[in-house]
Amino acid sequence: PDDVFRAIGHVLCQWAYFEQHMNEDLIALGPGATPPTDPSLMSRTFRKRIAQWERIVGPMFEPDSTRKETAKLCGEILKLKKSRDYLAHGTWGVGDDSITLATYKYGQIQDLHDHDLNAASLETIAASISEFNARIFRLRNGWARRNPQPLPPLTPPEEWSG
C-alpha cells in the first residue's frame, strides 16, 4: 500500500501547487482587473475562484488569441477536481489489493466501492495536474517575456484583510 499512499500524496501536492499559483495570480492581478475581483474572493469556492482566474489571466497570458489554452486548462482541471476532492476529503482504507473510500457529499456518506482509484490511476491524475502546472508556467513565462515589469507583489489589498 505504500505506492498508494505515495500516489495520494503526489496528487494532493500537485493540486496544492496549482491552487497556490492560481491564488497568487488572483491576489496579485485581481485588484487591477476590469472589473476588479471581489475582495472576498479568496474565501469563495474553488469554482468561483477558477472562473475569476480564467477571466483575469486569459487576456493577460494569451493576449493575441481567443484564450483557448486558458479555457481548456480550466475545464480540464475542473474535471479532475472530483477525484482530488475524494482524495483530500475522503476516509481511506487501503488493503493489499484494494482501496476503499468513504466520503461525505451533500450531507450523506458515500461508500465508493466502484471506483478506479489505485496507485497507477492516482499517479496518472498527479501527472495530469503536473502537466497543468507546467502549462501555467509556460503561460506565465510568455507573459513575462512580453512585460518588462514582474507580476505585482503578492500583498493583498487592505480591504482583503477583512
Side-chain angles (χ1 to χ4, degrees):
D2 285 348
D3 57 341
V4 172
F5 292 128
R6 272 192 300 278
I8 292 169
H10 191 189
V11 169
L12 297 178
C13 286
Q14 287 297 325
W15 186 273
Y17 187 81
F18 168 79
E19 196 163 357
Q20 179 66 27
H21 279 280
M22 179 185 70
N23 290 339
E24 287 175 0
D25 289 342
L26 288 169
I27 290 169
L29 304 172
T34 305
T37 55
D38 180 346
S40 67
L41 180 64
M42 298 313 288
S43 64
R44 301 288 173 91
T45 66
F46 178 82
R47 287 187 182 277
K48 288 184 180 182
R49 285 182 291 127
I50 199 165
Q52 289 300 303
W53 184 81
E54 180 181 352
R55 177 183 71 85
I56 293 166
V57 305
M60 292 184 75
F61 287 177
E62 300 181 276
D64 300 325
S65 73
T66 57
R67 299 192 292 280
K68 290 181 182 177
E69 179 68 13
T70 307
K72 184 177 177 185
L73 177 79
C74 291
E76 291 171 5
I77 201 76
L78 283 169
K79 287 178 187 175
L80 287 180
K81 186 179 183 314
K82 182 177 178 180
S83 295
R84 177 269 177 196
D85 286 351
Y86 284 153
L87 294 174
H89 303 294
T91 302
W92 285 86
V94 179
D96 288 336
D97 298 324
S98 65
I99 301 170
T100 58
L101 173 64
T103 189
Y104 287 95
K105 189 166 188 170
Y106 307 115
Q108 301 292 318
I109 192 164
Q110 294 183 337
D111 199 2
L112 304 173
H113 295 291
D114 299 318
H115 60 77
D116 61 352
L117 299 178
N118 55 42
S121 66
L122 292 172
E123 286 295 348
T124 299
I125 292 168
S128 296
I129 300 168
S130 180
E131 176 57 29
F132 298 150
N133 289 327
R135 287 161 60 190
I136 291 170
F137 183 78
R138 289 190 293 272
L139 288 168
R140 281 176 160 209
N141 278 347
W143 184 88
R145 282 191 302 276
R146 292 186 305 275
N147 294 278
Q149 298 295 321
L151 284 172
L154 296 178
T155 306
E158 291 283 327
E159 63 266 20
W160 286 26
S161 60

